[in-house]
Amino acid sequence: MKNKRKTTIKDIANVLNITPSAVSRALHNHPRISDKTKIAVKKVAKDLDYQPNHLASALRSGKSKLVGIIVAKTNSYFFSSVVENIEYELNKKGYNLIITQSNESFDKECRNIDALLQTQVDGIIASLANETVNFDHYNKIKEKGIPLILFDRGENDIGVDYVGIDDYQSSNIVVNHLVEQGCKRIAHIAGYSHTRIYKNRIRGYKDALKKHGLPEEEELLLEGSLSIEDGRAKMTELLKLSILPDAVYAAGDYAALGALQVLQEHNIKVPEQIALVGFSNEPFTSLVSPSISSIYQHNKEIGKLVAKQFLLRVNDKNYKPVLHKTILEPELIIRDSSRKLKS
Amino acid sequence: MKNKRKTTIKDIANVLNITPSAVSRALHNHPRISDKTKIAVKKVAKDLDYQPNHLASALRSGKSKLVGIIVAKTNSYFFSSVVENIEYELNKKGYNLIITQSNESFDKECRNIDALLQTQVDGIIASLANETVNFDHYNKIKEKGIPLILFDRGENDIGVDYVGIDDYQSSNIVVNHLVEQGCKRIAHIAGYSHTRIYKNRIRGYKDALKKHGLPEEEELLLEGSLSIEDGRAKMTELLKLSILPDAVYAAGDYAALGALQVLQEHNIKVPEQIALVGFSNEPFTSLVSPSISSIYQHNKEIGKLVAKQFLLRVNDKNYKPVLHKTILEPELIIRDSSRKLKS
DNA sequence: ACCATTAAGACAAACGTTTGTGCAAAACTT
DNA sequence: AAGTTTTGCACAAACGTTTGTCTTAATGGT
């Protein structure tokens, strides 16, 4: 049985009769160390299977090489693929991710932030919970002086870097598409308007209607949590209208799915009688029948951009008050649920 | 602007004219510290907004309070809900999770393990990638002396704690159910038999057939990756048989979904002509139509048990070579895809 | 051959805790 | 009242790095 003790920088120093500081510098390619000793140090390090102690270096340097992530649910294709790409990019630079879930709860989000700050993360990347309307906790992050990047669910009020798609434009694209398919009475199952992205989708929806000369009717715009159940409830409500809509645009795929279920239960043909469009391009949209048209948010791209932005910030010693808001163009994936015209 | 410096244990000591060690002990409720000073210390700590420096304590004590998680994909309902419950339980004890994904790649899994070990995690909880057949990396964890718990995809060869369901029994339940529905020619879209859980499902399938006096036919047993595409391919193959099966049992929900798609494209009625059962109870199984029957693996329970087992190990100073394998009873959720008899 | 540079590394302090030991005073013994 | 135990804390080292400053030897210029 070998000795359990891990080899440290000191052990290497002893072997070569130099000091630990020289070893440390050699391993970091410090210019003041000769190439000869650098090579020697690295060889011994390899021979002794030296593994740097992150905790020690973190303590001394103040950098933990850990990045905190906060999302609503990892269990969503959008979030998990964004995170996957962040992880890929940041791993390359030696960072590890601590992933936490807020479960859409403001309280849990606060606790997560505290936990992450305690773990001395070098930065935090987050997408806000639906409940979140108070940003004191995020200011705590800024006060700590570590970078904070928001994506998808962001907020303009706290001056902070952001990466997401153009929600206003998304609605525009959806409405354009539906009008093109001949729809004239387009309903919108919306998210709560206190969340910025949903507010923008609503604005985009309204403006697009106006642009096409369609009247904006109260009864066709319903706010909710966008869960499956919510989608079902909202669709049921819409079916009670004296004049039915000929299209439904849901601000979330799960809500769209709920709506689809209700439509099918009422034997309403999709898209012939009512066309349907969702949002986020969750995988199931292409699996159900009819497949659901949806807005693709460039998940991979968002992940990469967030990572890039984080690296920029974390390497930026002199605090630059320049904000970076990166807005991507959304893309509508047209599927059967909204394809009335056979092209 | 307040001074940026975080308050340390020393600051508290200075305020009260005691030593840092006394403060540390007071905060940890050491018996050798009087209640009076304990209260005083805690008060000052609160007043000064003292946040313990985890890195420092980790360095000194050797415990980082971080736990590494390795799963194939966070983006799967089963994994994400297991992890959610692990997180919930371990957070209560002051642990934070570092979640990594292997993406079913052996290589990535090894890199993840190395990264986690470098970050000085106090333990690792993992579910093996499909590719993994070599366990040297897991032995590295054991050599380090930190606990390792496997769940779902485990392996008997490395002596290690495990939590999962009884896969053999699962197949039994499925076949019993299908036979009950009147099926006599049951196909199995299986996972690769080099993975233990899939091997057991195959064994269970074969034995159950035997038990019911049904012949075991080569052409009805097809191994694959269990992706949607794989499910489609395997179902297409099955449809080429001269005598069609009257039931298909897929060892994964995605494969079941792929099979369902193919069946519907061929206008084969499910379950009337061919019944279908999946595995894992992914949410979409209840969303598609017909809804897919599936095996529920007690996600929440697994998470809780894994956490419990981890805590047991991590607090166990004297290495106990007693292995804990926890096996849960699977539960078949019967839905439309296999309900031939109207009950 | 003398002074000025530069190169290569030594030295030591520091990061914020935890922890074993030491030591005085207080509290029990008898 | 003297001895013994207990209580409450001080002292200092240690965890493994990183980093600012100092020292010495080598190099260069004239």
Side-chain angles (χ1 to χ4, degrees):
Chain A
M1 196 175 286
K2 286 297 186 81
N3 62 337
K4 286 244 161 186
R5 248 180 42 68
K6 290 198 44 169
T7 71
T8 80
I9 224 170
K10 266 187 184 173
D11 300 327
I12 302 180
N14 286 336
V15 172
L16 297 171
N17 272 323
I18 56 178
T19 68
S21 65
V23 174
S24 171
R25 289 188 162 112
L27 290 173
H28 288 82
N29 285 318
H30 192 283
R32 277 302 187 72
I33 301 293
S34 71
D35 289 350
K36 206 182 78 185
T37 50
K38 275 180 191 168
I39 293 172
V41 165
K42 285 173 187 171
K43 173 161 170 25
V44 176
K46 176 149 276 184
D47 290 352
L48 268 54
D49 188 32
Y50 166 71
Q51 303 281 65
N53 183 327
H54 268 62
L55 293 175
S57 75
L59 175 58
R60 173 61 226 234
S61 65
K63 305 278 142 211
S64 68
K65 285 289 185 179
L66 290 172
V67 180
I69 307 271
I70 306 175
V71 295
K73 276 272 184 194
T74 60
N75 159 28
S76 128
Y77 185 71
F78 171 68
F79 284 135
S80 86
S81 59
V82 169
V83 170
E84 187 177 338
N85 283 286
I86 295 178
E87 183 186 19
Y88 179 75
E89 294 296 324
L90 293 189
N91 274 354
K92 286 197 282 192
K93 303 293 178 178
Y95 288 94
N96 272 72
L97 265 44
I98 301 189
I99 303 173
T100 67
Q101 311 187 139
S102 69
N103 292 330
E104 303 287 10
S105 147
F106 173 65
D107 234 49
K108 181 84 194 299
E109 192 171 279
C110 293
R111 286 204 306 279
N112 284 344
I113 292 178
D114 285 336
L116 290 175
L117 290 180
Q118 280 215 359
T119 319
Q120 322 272 101
V121 293
D122 287 350
I124 291 184
I125 294 172
S127 180
L128 271 43
N130 267 333
E131 278 186 31
T132 304
V133 287
N134 174 314
F135 304 103
D136 293 349
H137 267 75
Y138 284 98
N139 283 322
K140 263 168 87 171
I141 301 175
K142 292 179 67 185
E143 278 166 21
K144 252 219 158 188
I146 63 177
L148 166 63
I149 320 271
L150 294 182
F151 70 94
D152 187 43
R153 316 245 195 94
E155 180 55 49
N156 282 324
D157 301 345
I158 45 176
V160 66
D161 291 344
Y162 174 81
V163 180
I165 59 157
D166 186 337
D167 289 285
Y168 180 87
Q169 177 60 8
S170 301
S171 292
N172 219 321
I173 294 174
V174 170
V175 172
N176 285 350
H177 163 66
L178 289 172
V179 167
E180 224 170 76
Q181 302 291 314
C183 302
K184 298 201 169 345
R185 196 168 157 74
I186 303 171
H188 182 28
I189 299 180
Y192 291 117
S193 55
H194 59 67
T195 306
R196 196 185 50 76
I197 59 172
Y198 297 128
K199 188 168 62 193
N200 286 341
R201 290 178 200 175
I202 293 173
R203 271 204 313 119
Y205 160 75
K206 288 183 176 173
D207 287 359
L209 287 186
K210 232 171 280 172
K211 200 182 69 185
H212 288 288
L214 299 175
E216 178 190 326
E217 306 188 32
E218 280 286 337
E219 52 188 20
L220 293 181
L221 173 56
L222 304 170
E223 287 185 22
S225 72
L226 297 181
S227 67
I228 291 191
E229 294 71 30
D230 182 53
R232 293 185 61 96
K234 295 302 186 296
M235 192 67 236
T236 306
E237 243 178 281
L238 287 172
L239 289 182
K240 287 182 191 155
L241 295 178
S242 47
I243 314 177
L244 292 186
D246 56 7
V248 173
Y249 159 39
D253 279 333
Y254 283 96
L257 182 61
L260 179 60
Q261 288 177 351
V262 170
L263 287 169
Q264 292 184 325
E265 287 162 14
H266 284 75
N267 289 316
I268 294 177
K269 295 214 169 182
V270 178
E272 291 80 0
Q273 292 175 266
I274 297 186
L276 183 64
V277 176
F279 207 110
S280 280
N281 203 33
E282 289 282 330
F284 70 76
T285 53
S286 66
L287 303 179
V288 294
S289 93
S291 52
I292 303 177
S293 302
S294 193
I295 287 283
Y296 175 56
Q297 306 184 73
H298 298 285
N299 318 352
K300 186 170 176 178
E301 209 55 27
I302 289 187
K304 286 194 181 304
L305 286 170
V306 167
K308 196 171 148 194
Q309 189 57 36
F310 170 80
L311 291 172
L312 238 81
R313 283 289 175 196
V314 88
N315 294 324
D316 198 354
K317 309 298 171 198
N318 42 343
Y319 165 66
K320 270 204 204 137
V322 185
L323 247 49
H324 282 274
K325 306 260 184 203
T326 311
I327 310 296
L328 298 174
E329 278 298 303
E331 185 182 337
L332 176 62
I333 311 289
I334 300 173
R335 299 201 177 85
D336 294 341
S337 72
S338 71
R339 209 172 349 228
K340 289 194 176 189
L341 310 174
K342 308 299 162 196
S343 50
Chain B
M1 197 175 286
K2 287 294 185 82
N3 62 337
K4 286 245 163 186
R5 247 180 44 67
K6 289 197 40 165
T7 71
T8 81
I9 222 169
K10 267 188 186 173
D11 301 327
I12 302 181
N14 285 336
V15 171
L16 297 171
N17 273 322
I18 56 178
T19 68
S21 65
V23 174
S24 171
R25 288 186 162 114
L27 290 172
H28 288 80
N29 284 318
H30 192 283
R32 280 298 188 73
I33 301 292
S34 71
D35 289 351
K36 206 184 79 185
T37 50
K38 274 180 192 167
I39 292 172
V41 164
K42 284 172 187 170
K43 172 161 171 28
V44 176
K46 176 149 276 182
D47 290 350
L48 268 53
D49 189 33
Y50 167 70
Q51 303 281 64
N53 184 326
H54 267 64
L55 293 175
S57 75
L59 174 59
R60 173 61 226 234
S61 66
K63 303 279 144 212
S64 67
K65 286 290 186 176
L66 290 172
V67 179
I69 306 272
I70 306 176
V71 295
K73 276 271 184 194
T74 60
N75 159 28
S76 128
Y77 185 72
F78 172 68
F79 284 134
S80 85
S81 59
V82 169
V83 170
E84 186 177 339
N85 283 286
I86 296 178
E87 184 185 18
Y88 179 74
E89 294 297 324
L90 294 189
N91 275 354
K92 286 198 280 192
K93 303 293 180 178
Y95 288 94
N96 273 72
L97 265 44
I98 301 189
I99 303 172
T100 66
Q101 312 188 139
S102 67
N103 292 330
E104 302 287 10
S105 147
F106 173 66
D107 235 49
K108 181 85 194 301
E109 191 171 282
C110 293
R111 286 205 306 279
N112 285 344
I113 292 177
D114 285 337
L116 289 176
L117 290 180
Q118 280 217 357
T119 319
Q120 321 271 100
V121 292
D122 287 350
I124 291 184
I125 294 172
S127 180
L128 270 44
N130 267 333
E131 277 185 32
T132 303
V133 287
N134 174 315
F135 305 103
D136 294 349
H137 268 74
Y138 285 98
N139 284 321
K140 265 168 84 170
I141 301 175
K142 292 178 65 185
E143 279 167 20
K144 254 221 159 188
I146 63 176
L148 166 63
I149 320 270
L150 295 182
F151 70 94
D152 187 45
R153 316 246 194 92
E155 179 55 47
N156 282 324
D157 301 345
I158 45 176
V160 68
D161 291 343
Y162 173 81
V163 180
I165 59 157
D166 186 337
D167 289 285
Y168 179 87
Q169 178 61 8
S170 301
S171 292
N172 220 320
I173 294 175
V174 170
V175 172
N176 285 350
H177 164 67
L178 290 172
V179 167
E180 225 169 75
Q181 304 292 313
C183 302
K184 298 201 170 338
R185 198 170 155 72
I186 303 172
H188 183 28
I189 299 180
Y192 291 117
S193 56
H194 58 66
T195 305
R196 195 185 51 78
I197 59 171
Y198 297 128
K199 188 169 61 193
N200 286 342
R201 291 178 198 176
I202 292 173
R203 271 202 315 117
Y205 159 75
K206 288 183 177 175
D207 287 0
L209 288 186
K210 232 170 280 171
K211 199 183 69 185
H212 289 287
L214 298 176
E216 177 191 325
E217 304 189 32
E218 280 286 340
E219 51 189 19
L220 293 182
L221 174 55
L222 304 170
E223 287 184 21
S225 70
L226 297 181
S227 66
I228 290 191
E229 294 70 31
D230 182 52
R232 293 186 61 96
K234 295 302 185 299
M235 192 67 237
T236 307
E237 240 177 281
L238 287 172
L239 289 182
K240 287 182 191 153
L241 296 178
S242 48
I243 313 178
L244 291 186
D246 56 8
V248 172
Y249 159 38
D253 280 332
Y254 283 97
L257 182 62
L260 179 60
Q261 289 177 350
V262 170
L263 287 169
Q264 292 183 325
E265 287 162 14
H266 285 74
N267 289 317
I268 295 176
K269 294 211 172 183
V270 178
E272 290 80 0
Q273 292 175 267
I274 297 187
L276 182 65
V277 175
F279 207 111
S280 280
N281 202 33
E282 290 281 330
F284 70 77
T285 53
S286 65
L287 303 179
V288 294
S289 95
S291 51
I292 304 176
S293 301
S294 192
I295 287 283
Y296 175 56
Q297 306 183 74
H298 299 285
N299 317 352
K300 185 169 177 179
E301 208 55 26
I302 290 187
K304 285 194 182 305
L305 286 169
V306 167
K308 195 171 147 195
Q309 190 56 37
F310 170 80
L311 290 173
L312 239 81
R313 282 289 175 198
V314 88
N315 294 324
D316 197 355
K317 307 300 169 198
N318 42 344
Y319 165 67
K320 271 204 204 137
V322 185
L323 247 49
H324 283 273
K325 307 261 185 202
T326 311
I327 309 297
L328 299 173
E329 278 299 302
E331 183 182 339
L332 176 61
I333 311 290
I334 300 174
R335 299 200 178 85
D336 294 341
S337 70
S338 71
R339 208 172 350 227
K340 288 193 176 191
L341 310 173
K342 308 299 161 200
S343 50

